[in-house]
Structures are given as C-alpha cells and as structure tokens.
Amino acid sequence: MSEPIKNRYEFIILFDVENGNPNGDPDAGNMPRVDPETGLGLVTDVCLKRKIRSYVETVKGDAIGYRIYVKDGVPLNRSDAEAYAALGITEKTVKDKKKSDPGLDAKIRDWMCTNFFDIRTFGAVMTTFVKAALNCGQVRGPVQLGFARSVEPIVPQEITITRVAITTEADAEKKGTEMGRKYIVPYGLYRCEGYISANLARKTTGFSEEDLELLWQAILNMFENDRSAARGKMAVRELIVFKHDSELGCAPAWKLFETVKVARRNPGDTAPARAYGDYQVTVDEEALPAGVICRRLG
C-alpha cells in the first residue's frame, strides 16, 4: 500500500436537485428531509457516503484494496469472517491466539483497512455478536461528512400520480387505475462540509494519496451512475478543497468554510431559485490563513 496522506484537508460539496427527492425521510412518509425551524432541506451524511461507496464499487469492482464493506446484500459477518480466515483464526480459537499474540487485534484491524476502501476512508464498527463473536475492532475513519443543508428554504411538493398496474386480482375487477403520490423538491442547492484527518490516516487506517484522488473522483461523480426517477436531476456542481501544509492543520475549519459564500446572482431577485445559474459561488482566497491553499474542482 502507498504511504498515508500527510496533509489535513477540509472541503465543501455543492450539489443540486431538480424535480426530485434527494433524501426521503421514512418517518415522514418519505418526504424530503427538512429542518422544521428554518425550512432548509437536509441530506444525511449516510446518504452521501452510500453514493460514494457505490461509485467506488462501480469503478473498482472487487479490485484488491478497494472492496466495499458496507455493501448491499452482503452481511457484515461475512467480511469479518474473511479477516479471521486470512489470519488463520476462528471464533473459537481467537481468545487463545490473543493471549499468545497481544498484537492480534491490530493485525485484524489492519487487514480490514487494507482490503476495504470504505473502512480505510470512513471507518467502521466491525463487532458483531450473533451466536459466535466476530470482532474485527472499531475504526475511526479520517474522512467525515456533515449533513448537507440547502442554501435557501425548500418547499417540498406532493405530486399525485396514477398508474395502470393494479396490485391484486380483486382490485382489477373494480378499477383500471390506482392512485399514488411522490414528493419532489422543484429546485434546491445543497452545501455539505467535510473533513479529512491526516493524523488518523497515519495512525490508524493508512488512507493514502491514491485513496484521496479516488475520493475526489467519487464525490464529483456520485450521482452520475445512481440515477432514479425518485431523485430527479441531481448533480455535483462544485467541490471546493482546502489543503493545509501540515498534518494537524494551520487554521480552524470554520474559518475556511466562512470564506465560501453562496448567494443569489441578482441580490434583488425574490423569485424562487430554479437553476444553479441563479446563484454565484465565491471564495475569498485573500482571507485564507498562511499555509492553506484552495482548489476548486467540478
């Protein structure tokens, strides 16, 4: 594996949705998530990580070192068991092996980090207790995302639809169509802030420069191979990256985030935004602290 990254990073993802539901809330009939106090739309970090994982799985498949741990249809136990098999241990023998080899826990953890990209990136809790214990440890990943929040309040719309696909034979005798509904956001521009710790990459997971470039690629393309009628038109519009010239960083993250402003292109415009072109994104690079550089990707 390559050497771990040596620089701390912060980044901002700007993405938008048009006539779609970017992240449904199962506790609210799958309507788009909204902050009830401000009306701003929300997209969870878990949702965005899923898109990143799916992209890496699409482009890398089962390539050595780039498998995905949190994967649809694959029990976590199955991947945990692979680590045990690779190191010649079982659930029954692991306790005795740990007595003779105090570093066994670290070996198991390192095997998981080496083989699974998302563990190396986001970390994972790899402890399951079903009949027999499979404990591969707990890893705090160097890459962390916050919730995405829309730049302006959103107004979710409930669209009534009809369908000709009747569910049961009994219903088919009574009617030719059924009613349904779907929620959409006519337009929303979302901002997500993220963090990358070179310190955790060096001490724990080994997250490397190659992993970092793949992460940027995955973020920029995370919606391109994940289309669905429910999500409408979604796109990452810009990825703004702040790179520190040291492992622990040169400035607080909030100072860097505050240099990025997203505002209406025409300040007096009171009509609802309906396109990315309605906004202007600026970065005050003169306000960046010494030792920090900014890259704008997308």
Side-chain angles (χ1 to χ4, degrees):
M1 296 294 293
S2 303
E3 290 293 318
I5 59 172
K6 293 180 172 58
N7 304 86
R8 196 183 100 183
Y9 294 85
E10 275 84 40
F11 58 93
I12 293 174
I13 310 168
L14 295 173
F15 65 91
D16 61 0
V17 58
E18 182 179 327
N19 295 328
N21 184 353
N23 187 201
D25 184 350
D27 289 328
N30 207 46
M31 72 174 289
R33 297 181 189 271
V34 179
D35 180 341
E37 294 186 323
T38 64
L40 298 178
L42 299 174
V43 175
T44 66
D45 60 318
V46 175
C47 174
L48 298 177
K49 287 177 182 177
R50 177 73 271 156
K51 306 291 187 263
I52 293 170
R53 287 184 171 102
S54 295
Y55 178 83
V56 172
E57 184 179 0
T58 298
V59 299
K60 290 293 188 178
D62 286 327
I64 295 174
Y66 291 96
R67 295 170 58 199
I68 298 300
Y69 181 65
V70 181
K71 187 175 180 179
D72 184 34
V74 179
L76 301 181
N77 252 349
R78 187 183 302 170
S79 299
D80 296 336
E82 286 185 42
Y84 275 43
L87 296 172
I89 54 178
T90 67
E91 298 95 320
K92 295 181 179 179
T93 63
V94 64
K95 286 186 178 180
D96 291 334
K97 288 290 183 68
K98 286 181 180 180
K99 292 178 182 177
S100 60
D101 184 1
L104 185 58
D105 282 335
K107 291 177 182 177
I108 297 172
R109 180 201 66 201
D110 291 347
W111 191 94
M112 297 296 284
C113 289
T114 299
N115 284 272
F116 294 96
F117 173 83
D118 55 339
I119 295 177
R120 205 162 56 244
T121 304
F122 303 124
V125 176
M126 303 171 289
T127 304
T128 56
F129 295 97
V130 182
K131 293 184 180 179
L134 282 171
N135 185 353
C136 293
Q138 181 171 335
V139 175
R140 182 180 169 196
V143 180
Q144 299 299 329
L145 300 175
F147 276 30
R149 188 177 296 270
S150 64
V151 174
E152 293 184 307
I154 62 170
V155 181
Q157 296 183 7
E158 182 180 4
I159 308 297
T160 302
I161 59 175
T162 59
R163 64 178 189 177
V164 297
I166 307 303
T167 305
T168 67
E169 291 288 349
D171 287 342
E173 295 176 2
K174 303 174 186 177
K175 55 188 177 181
T177 61
E178 286 189 344
M179 305 301 291
R181 65 180 184 177
K182 66 188 298 185
Y183 287 105
I184 67 165
V185 175
Y187 183 80
L189 177 62
Y190 289 76
R191 170 176 172 153
C192 176
E193 296 171 349
Y195 315 82
I196 303 179
S197 168
N199 185 253
L200 284 175
R202 175 179 59 82
K203 293 196 300 185
T204 308
T205 74
F207 184 79
S208 68
E209 292 291 343
E210 288 79 3
D211 294 330
L212 182 65
E213 289 306 313
L214 180 57
L215 176 67
W216 299 148
Q217 179 184 346
I219 290 173
L220 289 169
N221 295 281
M222 62 183 171
F223 301 120
E224 298 305 314
N225 295 287
D226 190 60
R227 302 294 181 188
S228 105
R231 283 189 288 276
K233 178 183 173 184
M234 295 189 69
V236 173
R237 294 294 186 163
E238 189 166 4
L239 172 61
I240 302 171
V241 179
F242 298 101
K243 179 180 180 181
H244 300 254
D245 65 3
S246 65
E247 179 181 287
L248 297 180
C250 308
W254 64 266
K255 284 190 176 182
L256 306 182
F257 293 147
E258 285 190 349
T259 64
V260 179
K261 305 294 184 184
V262 183
R264 285 295 189 98
R265 190 172 296 277
N266 299 313
D269 193 354
T270 58
R274 287 295 182 265
Y276 184 66
D278 293 338
Y279 293 99
Q280 184 173 16
V281 181
T282 59
V283 181
D284 185 2
E285 297 196 32
E286 293 183 0
L288 292 178
V292 178
I293 60 173
C294 176
R295 292 172 61 199
R296 300 181 67 170
L297 309 173

